[in-house]
Amino acid sequence: MSPRNAARNFPYWRLSSFYFFYFTFVGAFSPYWSLYLKSLDFDAAEIGVLMSLLLVMRIFAPTLWGWLADHTGKRVGIVQIGAALSVLCYLGVFFGTSFWWMFVVMALISFFWSASLPLVEATTLSHLGDSSASYGQVRLWGSIGFIAAVIIIGYVLDIAPLRILLWLVLGTMAGILFFSRYIPEAEALTHHTDHLPVSQIFKRPEVLALFAACFLMVAAHGPFYTFYSLYLVAHGYSKSVIGWLWAVGVICEVVVFIFMPHLLRHFSLAQILGVSFASAVARFLLIGWLVDSAVAIFLAQVLHATTFGSYHAAAVAAIHHFFRGRHQAKGQALYTSLTFGAGGTFGALMSGYAWESLGPSLTFSMASFFALLGLILISWKFRLKA
């Protein structure tokens, strides 16, 4: 689906602009915020706790926001309120640096920031209707925003004081707030499952298998998102090179998003998810044991195309298959809460404690094992049923 054709059917550029700024925030925050926390003299366990807060709140907050959105029918209005309050809370980082101050500020940021993505995902899928396979070609602009952020900020931090990161992150959050004003509301279409309680859909064996596997996949990424940049710095990589390594992964992710409709015509969601999980097994072993090999680290980043790109597009499509009609926002919220929230929290906390007690190599080996468990679940139980 080209942008021109998409514009005839739904507001392609307004949705894409929001994704762009949402993920410029992620690109500014995920790779570099741990470096800022390190500069405040927090130890690895404290950094793990603080970095996990954006994930902890995603366990509870998206489900609350999703229920409220389905109840009121005002998804976009809730996105706008959440974006405004997250910016307001973020200003707290300029007024204190103690552990407990940062704990409270980051928890509040996360509670309101986590309102946005699952509701925008549901809105995008509602606008796409039967063309949900083209979701990736809207979502790719988020990946482009991430690439721009990690590359530019990597160079900036090589020459500027680390504290400038606070202002760069604020700029990305302002972009989220601005473009949330231009997302058009989409009506949720009725579906034959509307009369069912959402718990009945959730308890289906294939749905439980999907959620459990996704939990494990996100948990496997915990050491990567929490300590990858610090790990590379400790092994002599410059911040600009680290930025490019993050960007390489997301560039490959963009390629997958572009070709996702083609892949879905030739392969099932189960097959795509299986390849994604198998790639994660290999990727984290490469990072954990071959960090001093630039070639191995580069290849590990190329695998981000499958460990996130094809995985996320296929997972969102699967959630959309099971949760339709009035359950759509709740389904995407559950996906965010139980995978990125619970799985991400577990992965970040696990990595924070394992990093010091077991060391980086064994920590990444644990991540690989989580991905292997997810692969077993997908192969054993996951099937698409009407």
Side-chain angles (χ1 to χ4, degrees):
M1 178 183 61
S2 69
R4 180 175 298 176
N5 289 335
R8 297 186 186 128
N9 300 308
F10 68 97
Y12 182 92
W13 291 113
R14 282 183 281 174
L15 290 166
S16 298
S17 296
F18 179 88
Y19 278 110
F20 180 89
F21 276 95
Y22 185 93
F23 286 98
T24 57
F25 168 80
V26 178
F29 195 92
S30 291
Y32 301 116
W33 195 254
S34 60
L35 300 179
Y36 173 68
L37 296 178
K38 182 70 172 178
S39 75
L40 301 180
D41 295 325
F42 296 136
D43 61 29
E46 290 172 326
I47 292 171
V49 169
L50 291 173
M51 292 297 288
S52 73
L53 286 173
L54 286 179
L55 303 170
V56 170
M57 286 298 176
R58 292 172 84 176
I59 299 173
F60 311 104
T63 302
L64 169 64
W65 298 122
W67 176 87
L68 190 60
D70 279 340
H71 182 71
T72 63
K74 302 294 183 183
R75 296 174 186 165
V76 174
I78 293 171
V79 170
Q80 293 166 350
I81 292 170
L85 291 174
S86 62
V87 171
L88 181 64
C89 293
Y90 177 79
L91 296 176
V93 303
F94 293 97
F95 297 100
T97 58
S98 72
F99 175 80
W100 287 109
W101 178 265
M102 294 297 291
F103 184 96
V104 172
V105 169
M106 290 178 65
L108 289 172
I109 293 168
S110 178
F111 181 78
F112 296 111
W113 176 74
S114 63
S116 298
L117 189 60
L119 299 183
V120 174
E121 300 275 49
T123 300
T124 299
L125 290 165
S126 291
H127 280 297
L128 284 169
D130 293 334
S131 301
S132 59
S134 296
Y135 158 83
Q137 297 193 20
V138 183
R139 171 60 176 78
L140 69 86
W141 286 98
S143 302
I144 292 170
F146 185 96
I147 293 167
V150 294
I151 292 176
I152 293 170
I153 292 175
Y155 279 111
V156 169
L157 295 182
D158 270 342
I159 61 175
L162 194 55
R163 189 170 171 81
I164 199 172
L165 180 65
L166 303 182
W167 295 98
L168 296 173
V169 171
L170 178 60
T172 65
M173 296 187 78
I176 293 171
L177 176 59
F178 179 81
F179 283 100
S180 70
R181 293 165 50 86
Y182 295 96
I183 299 174
E185 196 69 74
E187 181 182 359
L189 300 177
T190 59
H191 193 260
H192 67 82
T193 59
D194 283 352
H195 68 286
L196 297 175
V198 71
S199 60
Q200 187 169 332
I201 301 172
F202 178 77
K203 290 177 182 178
R204 292 166 58 176
E206 64 273 22
V207 177
L208 287 173
L210 174 65
F211 275 105
C214 291
F215 172 95
L216 288 164
M217 178 65 114
V218 178
H221 282 75
F224 178 80
Y225 286 120
T226 305
F227 290 113
Y228 182 68
S229 295
L230 290 172
Y231 184 45
L232 294 185
V233 166
H235 284 266
Y237 293 85
S238 70
K239 295 183 183 69
S240 56
V241 168
I242 292 169
W244 273 106
L245 283 169
W246 280 87
V248 163
V250 186
I251 289 168
C252 295
E253 169 190 311
V254 168
V255 174
V256 169
F257 282 144
I258 291 171
F259 288 100
M260 199 64 192
H262 176 77
L263 292 174
L264 286 170
R265 285 195 295 269
H266 291 84
F267 303 99
S268 70
L269 290 177
Q271 289 171 323
I272 292 171
L273 287 170
V275 170
S276 300
F277 278 85
S279 298
V281 174
R283 183 187 188 192
F284 296 125
L285 288 176
L286 285 173
I287 295 172
W289 295 97
L290 296 175
V291 64
D292 292 317
S293 167
V295 173
I297 291 299
F298 177 82
L299 290 175
Q301 287 303 92
V302 170
L303 288 175
H304 189 75
T306 50
T307 68
F308 181 80
S310 61
Y311 156 76
H312 180 65
V316 167
I319 297 297
H320 182 63
H321 173 86
F322 292 121
F323 297 88
R324 306 295 289 267
R326 70 181 184 90
H327 297 311
Q328 190 176 51
K330 288 192 287 289
Q332 294 299 332
L334 281 170
Y335 170 65
T336 298
S337 294
L338 298 179
T339 61
F340 292 105
T345 299
F346 175 77
L349 292 174
M350 176 276 297
S351 64
Y353 291 101
W355 199 259
E356 292 188 330
S357 60
L358 300 177
S361 295
L362 288 178
T363 301
F364 277 109
S365 296
M366 289 175 61
S368 180
F369 179 67
F370 291 155
L372 177 61
L373 292 178
L375 174 61
I376 292 170
L377 272 174
I378 288 295
S379 303
W380 177 40
K381 282 290 186 181
F382 177 70
R383 301 289 185 275
L384 285 181
K385 298 178 183 178

